[in-house]
Amino acid sequence: MAKERDHHPNKDKKLLVGVIWNFSTELKLIFMALLVIFTLATLLPFIPSSFSLSASDFRFCISRFSPAVPVNITSTAVNVTPEKTSTEPVVLDNGVIKRTFTGHGSAAYNFVTMSAYRGGVNSFAVIGLSSKPLHVYGHPSYRCEWVPLDPTQDPVSTTGLKILTDWGYGRIYTTVVVNCTFPTISAVNSGGSLILHATTGDPSLNLTDSIPVLTESPNSVDFDLYTSPEKKKKYDYLYCGSSLYGNLSPQRVREWIAYHARFFGDRSHFVLHDAGGIHGDVFEVLRPWIELGRVTVHDIRDQERFDGYYHNQFMVVNDCLHRYRFKAKWMFFFDVDEFMYVPEKETIKSVMESLEEYSQFTIEQMPMSSRICYSGDGPARTYRKWGFEKMAYRDVKKVPRRDRKYAVQPQNVFATGVHMSQNLQGKTYHKAESKIRYFHYHGSISQRREPCRHLFNDSRVVFENNPYVLDTTIRDVGLAVKMFEMRTIGDRLLRTRQ
């Protein structure tokens, strides 16, 4: 039996060799097919992206290599008259070769609509984006048409006033606010549609897009809102935030909203715009305030498709301005790493009453360090403090100017910007530093970690060749803000992380 077992391996080898020999031709074909497949897989990443196979290419392959399958191919003769192009160089009289450039297709949209709002009995505002090169090198224009739903009323039209609000900061797209003021329009609440006719102004290809931007159903407009606006104000103060993006710190957002909900009082509201920054942890911080009706979040992530300045923040703040224009007495524009402050003997109400004669006032910046912290409470307790309690060193380096933020009475403003409005009626006040200021903790909102990397316990510090002084203005109200949050929403956010 042992001898028979010794002979079995040799028999198996002979059997295997015999099988391979009998099927050698088929195996060669298989190996060749695999080699071709692996070769194509290796070369595929290097084939240009513009390379493609059309349906006609596949039909050709089928008809040539699959004669057993009948394929009917119908060819249609098309007479194409070649266009005369103007791209041929022309030699001018002075010997200069004149080159020309001809555009084809559409590289950017003529107009991207975000919103349109009624601004009065006979006026409207349309907010959107348009091609930046079109406005820099061309002469685009806009015409507004109001088409009543009542067939007995005739449509009316007027020239739209174009307002470019981004101070030249636009990228591929620039923000455009079109003001449509009609000489006469029926105040009968019968409904209608606003059509924006956007003309490119291109001398060689002058195209017009007719865009329905707003439709009002019958009896949907409260005209008292425009004739007696003071009686209809829902809020005393409304915050219009810029686009929020990046990996924001939930704890810093928690501190900011609690501080300002207390600062502005019950008749205030906060409008935040999510361009990707309000992730799940941040939303959980905002949820209690949303449920109380103190915060509204707008998801604007879709605007990322249109390359504008800073996530199209100029368009976003103008939409906020016109959306809430008749709902608030004052509207504030600043960022979520900035904290408003009025002197101890003042209140936000008394300050705003003293500035009522102005349509706009700007607010001076107090720059705070977001890298060095005050350790007067001891290192262990310092790390348990809120951000604005421990980031207490103010930058006192002398510079020509620092950015300002601002507030407006929105019913007097036609379009706005990030640091101030240049399109309003009424006066602007620039000397309000004794009444109101804002403390700026630059970069602190985008750090999802403990902000304190360097601790000091001195009233004056020089850090990285920059002078700082201890300023406890915002720090001193920390306990009051925490108690306010606890009374208002309870302990829901106690476990919030950086």
Side-chain angles (χ1 to χ4, degrees):
M1 295 294 294
K3 187 178 292 185
E4 289 178 0
R5 285 194 299 269
D6 292 340
H7 284 291
H8 285 168
N10 292 332
K11 291 181 180 179
D12 292 340
K13 290 180 180 179
K14 291 179 180 180
L15 180 61
L16 178 62
V17 171
V19 170
I20 294 174
W21 182 261
N22 290 333
F23 294 96
S24 60
T25 303
E26 289 80 356
L27 290 174
K28 288 179 182 179
L29 290 175
I30 292 173
F31 288 140
M32 287 297 294
L34 290 174
L35 179 61
V36 171
I37 292 173
F38 290 143
T39 302
L40 289 175
T42 304
L43 296 177
L44 190 59
F46 301 98
I47 297 176
S49 59
S50 60
F51 175 80
S52 63
L53 292 175
S54 65
S56 61
D57 296 326
F58 285 109
R59 286 197 298 268
F60 171 77
C61 294
I62 293 172
S63 63
R64 180 174 179 180
F65 296 107
S66 303
V69 181
V71 179
N72 295 324
I73 301 176
T74 303
S75 61
T76 303
V78 179
N79 295 324
V80 178
T81 303
E83 294 183 3
K84 293 183 179 180
T85 62
S86 57
T87 57
E88 293 297 324
V90 177
V91 181
L92 304 180
D93 293 339
N94 58 3
V96 175
I97 299 176
K98 174 68 174 176
R99 305 301 302 273
T100 58
F101 305 87
T102 304
H104 303 278
S106 299
Y109 292 103
N110 180 14
F111 197 84
V112 179
T113 306
M114 181 176 184
S115 54
Y117 303 100
R118 182 180 281 272
V121 175
N122 64 332
S123 66
F124 300 84
V126 184
I127 300 97
L129 301 170
S130 185
S131 167
K132 178 72 174 182
L134 189 64
H135 286 267
V136 173
Y137 302 106
H139 299 86
S141 61
Y142 301 95
R143 188 159 188 82
C144 310
E145 182 182 11
W146 176 254
V147 182
L149 293 181
D150 185 351
T152 63
Q153 299 180 25
D154 295 328
V156 293
S157 64
T158 187
T159 301
L161 174 62
K162 175 184 71 176
I163 305 175
L164 303 179
T165 67
D166 63 9
W167 302 356
Y169 284 124
R171 294 165 63 86
I172 294 178
Y173 288 97
T174 188
T175 297
V176 181
V177 176
V178 181
N179 179 277
C180 302
T181 301
F182 296 91
T184 57
I185 189 172
S186 175
V188 177
N189 209 340
S190 58
S193 296
L194 179 67
I195 311 297
L196 180 68
H197 303 282
T199 302
T200 61
D202 190 322
S204 60
L205 192 64
N206 194 21
L207 300 178
T208 298
D209 292 294
S210 296
I211 311 163
V213 293
L214 178 68
T215 298
E216 294 177 346
S217 57
N219 302 314
S220 63
V221 179
D222 182 4
F223 285 103
D224 290 340
L225 190 67
Y226 313 110
T227 56
S228 304
E230 294 303 321
K231 299 179 182 179
K232 298 288 184 177
K233 301 296 185 187
K234 185 176 181 180
Y235 308 112
D236 290 334
Y237 316 110
L238 187 132
Y239 168 80
C240 277
S242 291
S243 308
L244 294 178
Y245 59 93
N247 193 16
L248 302 184
S249 166
Q251 176 61 26
R252 299 289 89 78
V253 174
R254 172 197 178 189
E255 298 166 4
W256 183 91
I257 192 65
Y259 177 94
H260 288 97
R262 174 181 178 270
F263 177 82
F264 285 114
D266 293 338
R267 283 182 53 82
S268 64
H269 194 74
F270 301 86
V271 180
L272 305 178
H273 296 93
D274 177 20
I278 301 183
H279 50 78
D281 293 339
V282 171
F283 189 81
E284 288 306 311
V285 167
L286 297 174
R287 187 189 297 275
W289 302 100
I290 295 173
E291 293 172 354
L292 287 176
R294 300 295 305 274
V295 171
T296 298
V297 175
H298 292 254
D299 183 346
I300 59 164
R301 300 187 186 198
D302 191 47
Q303 53 77 35
E304 295 293 333
R305 298 189 295 125
F306 311 104
D307 184 21
Y309 181 77
Y310 257 74
H311 306 265
N312 292 303
Q313 65 173 335
F314 283 92
M315 177 178 66
V316 167
V317 295
N318 274 282
D319 172 80
C320 186
L321 167 71
H322 288 282
R323 185 181 186 89
Y324 299 96
R325 189 180 181 198
F326 294 96
K327 295 183 180 180
K329 183 174 179 59
W330 286 97
M331 195 173 283
F332 282 77
F333 297 86
F334 58 101
D335 293 327
V336 292
D337 58 357
E338 298 166 344
F339 289 68
M340 290 292 155
Y341 176 79
V342 297
E344 291 184 2
K345 296 182 180 180
E346 298 280 358
T347 64
I348 185 63
K349 181 179 180 181
S350 65
V351 169
M352 303 311 285
E353 286 176 349
S354 70
L355 296 169
E356 277 188 342
E357 63 178 295
Y358 300 99
S359 295
Q360 173 179 237
F361 65 88
T362 58
I363 308 169
E364 185 179 24
Q365 177 187 164
M366 299 287 107
M368 305 296 289
S369 173
S370 58
R371 300 180 60 197
I372 62 177
C373 294
Y374 176 60
S375 63
D377 303 306
R381 295 185 63 187
T382 296
Y383 288 110
R384 293 197 295 269
K385 294 285 186 179
W386 279 14
F388 63 76
E389 290 183 288
K390 51 194 174 186
M391 292 185 288
Y393 283 99
R394 177 164 53 87
D395 186 345
V396 292
K397 183 179 180 180
K398 293 184 178 180
V399 296
R401 63 175 297 277
R402 296 187 188 275
D403 287 337
R404 287 175 169 253
K405 294 303 165 67
Y406 69 105
V408 298
Q409 297 194 55
Q411 67 272 13
N412 297 330
V413 181
F414 308 112
T416 196
V418 174
H419 295 287
M420 65 177 294
S421 170
Q422 292 182 319
N423 303 98
L424 73 164
Q425 60 182 10
K427 299 183 294 183
T428 296
Y429 187 60
H430 294 292
K431 301 292 184 180
E433 54 268 17
S434 64
K435 299 176 180 290
I436 185 170
R437 294 172 291 171
Y438 76 93
F439 288 74
H440 187 193
Y441 300 84
H442 180 69
S444 61
I445 194 71
S446 59
Q447 300 178 19
R448 293 201 65 178
R449 59 171 176 78
E450 166 59 43
C452 296
R453 287 295 180 265
H454 307 276
L455 299 178
F456 295 94
N457 191 16
D458 301 304
S459 59
R460 292 184 176 273
V461 173
V462 176
F463 179 72
E464 295 182 348
N465 297 321
N466 209 67
Y468 297 90
V469 298
L470 182 65
D471 189 333
T472 63
T473 302
I474 303 296
R475 167 188 167 88
D476 292 342
V477 299
L479 179 60
V481 173
K482 293 176 182 178
M483 293 178 64
F484 168 80
E485 182 196 62
M486 185 66 69
R487 290 194 308 269
T488 308
I489 63 173
D491 60 356
R492 298 173 61 176
L493 303 180
L494 286 182
R495 297 183 181 274
T496 302
R497 296 185 177 182
Q498 301 289 343

